Amino acid sequence: MPQFFSNKRLIVLLVSIIVLVALIGTSMKERDALTIPEQFFKDSVGWLQSVFYKPANSVAGLFESVGEMKDMYEENKLLKSRLNEFVALSEELKEVKQENAELKNELNIDPSTGISNYQTFHANMIARSPDRWNDLLTIDKGKQDGVEANMAVTTPKGLIGKIKNVQPFSSTVQLVSDVDRTNRIAAMTQEDKNVFGTIEGYDSEKDMLIFAKIPVDTKVKKGQTVITAGNGGIFPRGIVIGEIMDVETDNVGTTQTAYVKPAADLYDINNVMVIDRGAQTVTPSSEEGDEE
Amino acid sequence: MKQLLLSGTLFVLFLIEGTVFQVFAPEQYDLEFQLIPRFVAVVVLLVGMYLSPMFGVIFGVIFGLLHDLIYTDLVGVYMFGIAVSAYIIGYLAKVFQLNWFTSLVLVLLGFTMLEFYVYELFSLINITNLSFNSFIHDRYLPSLILNGIFMLIVYFPVKRLLEELSESRRQEN
């Protein structure tokens, strides 16, 4: 057997370990934007990825729709009965919206600056990080389409994450299930009273989000819906995050922690919506008014 | 020409890991376990065994760096991991009589080294909070089987390509 490590190679190994630590250290830092070469690589590989992803996805979709065919009849009946309810609801919504606008007008609040005001645009997923340690997606809209870092990303069912990095023609989405110190969302439940807290991370054993910092004297129950609170600055108010499955009191006894099952399926994502809050010029007084 | 074919194959496998494979990932069918494709690493390990450890290191660095840039935020983790495991396996391969079975064992050993190294490193810097038990049961063992099957599928074509490559290199020298 040849000599496993000659002296020279041992030195190379040690130097590369040092370089590894240095590289990890520098790339772990909070970065505003990626370097130009990184952006270039991500963009060009992203284009190739979409060439692979889209046909595979449509083939999978074909199989899925064949499978769905047999439930179609039942579903159709159910949906038709729901349609009448929907008409009534949408009429009601229209009325409420109008009333809301009138009231806002009377109070002199500019309708474009509310914390639940936003516009969305659509994007397609083109790749996903294959090692599940980093839960990152790549989508096919980038800076050119108006995507910016920290925008919220949702599917029709609910919140899935936020934009982490933006390249000119693609961007990276950090899912809510990504374990990261900085991955925090201001959240609330709305039953009788607004209860505020923070989504502080993801429990990968239970596959649930951790909804922490809930004041101990407030009541949260299993089955309540958790939505974004909108006072973190990043996300608008009212995006569905998930449903509370379990509530625990912390061992210190000052706050409660709830486990939240995400409303969106984090593994079956095709089309996503990026939420643009627009330029926010919220005056402190209107912010306080919304807190109550 | 042959070298280009090898690099092209590795790049296509790299793209498949993140795109085509993710469409059929097991989690969306409510399965508990995770299947982690390490197709690029498997072929790089074969390169280290059949060509030379140094070639394993070169391909490991290139495709590990690509993986770091595209699929993670941290630069260097896979670059180092794939290169070092290809080097170690490449040297171990000189002890064995290489056939499909010993190759399989060595590739799975390299895969194990890579997975454990990445798991330990990521728990050290708090990227994951998965416990060791669920790491073994939900992640490591299913992925071991997946990559073993993949290795058996690509073994003969990749071996032929690599042997032709090392033959042409010998003629040049």
Side-chain angles (χ1 to χ4, degrees):
Chain A
M1 185 190 173
Q3 197 187 355
F4 192 64
F5 277 132
S6 64
N7 278 343
K8 202 178 96 195
R9 292 197 172 146
L10 198 64
I11 290 169
V12 170
L13 180 74
L14 289 177
V15 169
S16 53
I17 289 178
I18 293 168
V19 171
L20 169 75
V21 172
L23 274 175
I24 291 176
T26 46
S27 48
M28 251 176 98
K29 261 189 262 165
E30 285 279 300
R31 291 190 292 177
D32 297 336
L34 296 174
T35 53
I36 301 288
E38 274 177 297
Q39 291 193 8
F40 173 74
F41 266 109
K42 282 201 167 190
D43 254 356
S44 33
V45 174
W47 183 78
L48 287 167
Q49 280 170 332
S50 65
V51 171
F52 275 76
Y53 188 83
K54 278 173 186 158
N57 198 28
S58 47
V59 169
L62 194 69
F63 280 113
E64 224 164 80
S65 44
V66 169
E68 274 168 7
M69 214 82 100
K70 55 180 194 289
D71 305 327
M72 213 84 105
Y73 180 71
E74 289 287 308
E75 211 175 86
N76 205 6
K77 259 201 321 207
L78 189 78
L79 286 177
K80 264 185 187 155
S81 66
R82 283 280 182 83
L83 209 57
N84 297 329
E85 286 172 41
F86 176 74
V87 171
L89 256 173
S90 66
E91 280 304 314
E92 199 182 323
L93 181 71
K94 222 188 274 173
E95 221 165 90
V96 169
K97 259 191 177 164
Q98 201 178 349
E99 197 182 320
N100 195 4
E102 274 166 20
L103 288 175
K104 269 188 179 169
N105 209 5
E106 261 169 50
L107 288 170
N108 287 328
I109 299 172
D110 184 2
S112 63
T113 54
I115 55 173
S116 45
N117 198 291
Y118 55 81
Q119 37 181 305
T120 62
F121 43 98
H122 291 265
N124 294 313
M125 166 184 164
I126 51 175
R128 187 189 179 115
S129 188
D131 70 336
R132 288 284 183 264
W133 303 130
N134 302 278
D135 250 335
L136 304 173
L137 298 181
T138 313
I139 58 171
D140 64 350
K141 291 275 155 69
K143 217 180 280 168
Q144 299 286 332
D145 308 283
V147 179
E148 276 164 43
N150 286 329
M151 282 180 177
V153 181
T154 68
T155 64
K157 284 182 195 157
L159 183 79
I160 55 167
K162 65 173 186 202
I163 301 282
K164 181 152 194 175
N165 299 314
V166 201
Q167 292 87 247
F169 302 104
S170 63
S171 37
T172 312
V173 179
Q174 182 179 40
L175 293 183
V176 284
S177 55
D178 195 55
V179 181
D180 184 351
R181 265 177 309 117
T182 58
N183 202 0
R184 297 192 169 181
I185 306 158
M188 62 189 276
T189 67
Q190 274 182 320
E191 288 290 294
D192 326 316
K193 231 175 85 186
N194 291 353
V195 176
F196 291 92
T198 324
I199 299 282
E200 290 212 324
Y202 190 74
D203 190 318
S204 30
E205 316 256 312
K206 291 183 180 172
D207 284 332
M208 277 189 244
L209 293 163
I210 301 162
F211 181 32
K213 301 249 167 67
I214 311 165
V216 79
D217 53 340
T218 54
K219 284 215 172 68
V220 279
K221 287 189 297 274
K222 196 181 154 189
Q224 283 183 345
T225 308
V226 180
I227 62 173
T228 53
N231 46 9
I234 299 174
F235 298 155
R237 175 171 287 191
I239 305 171
V240 177
I241 297 173
E243 191 184 315
I244 295 181
M245 301 304 278
D246 193 16
V247 184
E248 280 171 12
T249 309
D250 287 358
N251 39 10
V252 189
T254 51
T255 57
Q256 304 175 79
T257 301
Y259 288 95
V260 177
K261 190 175 184 299
D265 186 347
L266 295 177
Y267 291 104
D268 193 8
I269 303 163
N270 290 318
N271 299 311
V272 299
M273 285 180 289
V274 182
I275 290 181
D276 184 5
R277 265 186 101 169
Q280 287 292 311
T281 46
V282 182
T283 51
S285 61
S286 78
E287 187 92 319
E288 272 167 24
D290 278 310
E291 284 286 316
E292 282 160 17
Chain B
M1 190 60 216
K2 286 262 151 55
Q3 198 141 354
L4 211 64
L5 184 64
L6 181 64
S7 316
T9 314
L10 277 166
F11 189 66
V12 169
L13 285 175
F14 170 77
L15 290 179
I16 285 175
E17 276 184 13
T19 56
V20 179
F21 194 83
Q22 297 308 312
V23 176
F24 304 101
E27 286 98 339
Q28 48 185 294
Y29 309 110
D30 282 337
L31 296 172
E32 277 297 300
F33 57 89
Q34 299 177 323
L35 290 178
I36 312 299
R38 290 269 185 246
F39 302 156
V40 173
V42 166
V43 177
V44 168
L45 288 170
L46 286 173
V47 170
M49 284 154 62
Y50 280 93
L51 220 51
S52 78
M54 253 358 259
F55 263 87
V57 170
I58 293 167
F59 278 105
V61 165
I62 294 170
F63 284 95
L65 181 65
L66 205 57
H67 189 288
D68 285 329
L69 286 180
I70 307 298
Y71 293 132
T72 73
D73 286 336
L74 298 177
V75 180
V77 178
Y78 284 94
M79 184 171 85
F80 183 77
I82 298 177
V84 167
S85 50
Y87 187 79
I88 295 173
I89 295 298
Y91 265 91
L92 278 183
K94 299 192 175 176
V95 189
F96 290 94
Q97 181 91 40
L98 281 183
N99 56 32
W100 69 267
F101 184 71
T102 48
S103 305
L104 177 66
V105 171
L106 284 171
V107 163
L108 292 184
L109 186 68
F111 167 78
T112 308
M113 286 195 300
L114 181 64
E115 275 297 288
F116 275 69
Y117 150 78
V118 173
Y119 171 66
E120 289 300 334
L121 190 72
F122 279 173
S123 7
L124 193 72
I125 54 181
N126 275 332
I127 286 192
T128 176
N129 51 17
L130 198 67
S131 74
F132 190 71
N133 263 337
S134 21
F135 164 68
I136 294 287
H137 288 119
D138 298 343
R139 186 186 159 104
Y140 170 66
L141 290 177
S143 310
L144 190 75
I145 295 167
L146 170 76
N147 288 289
I149 292 169
F150 171 76
M151 185 271 173
L152 289 179
I153 293 171
V154 299
Y155 175 67
F156 286 103
V158 169
K159 187 184 129 193
R160 212 175 65 207
L161 178 66
L162 291 174
E163 276 170 354
E164 279 170 24
L165 250 174
S166 70
E167 190 63 37
S168 65
R169 277 188 65 231
R170 208 171 298 138
Q171 277 165 7
E172 277 171 28
N173 288 342

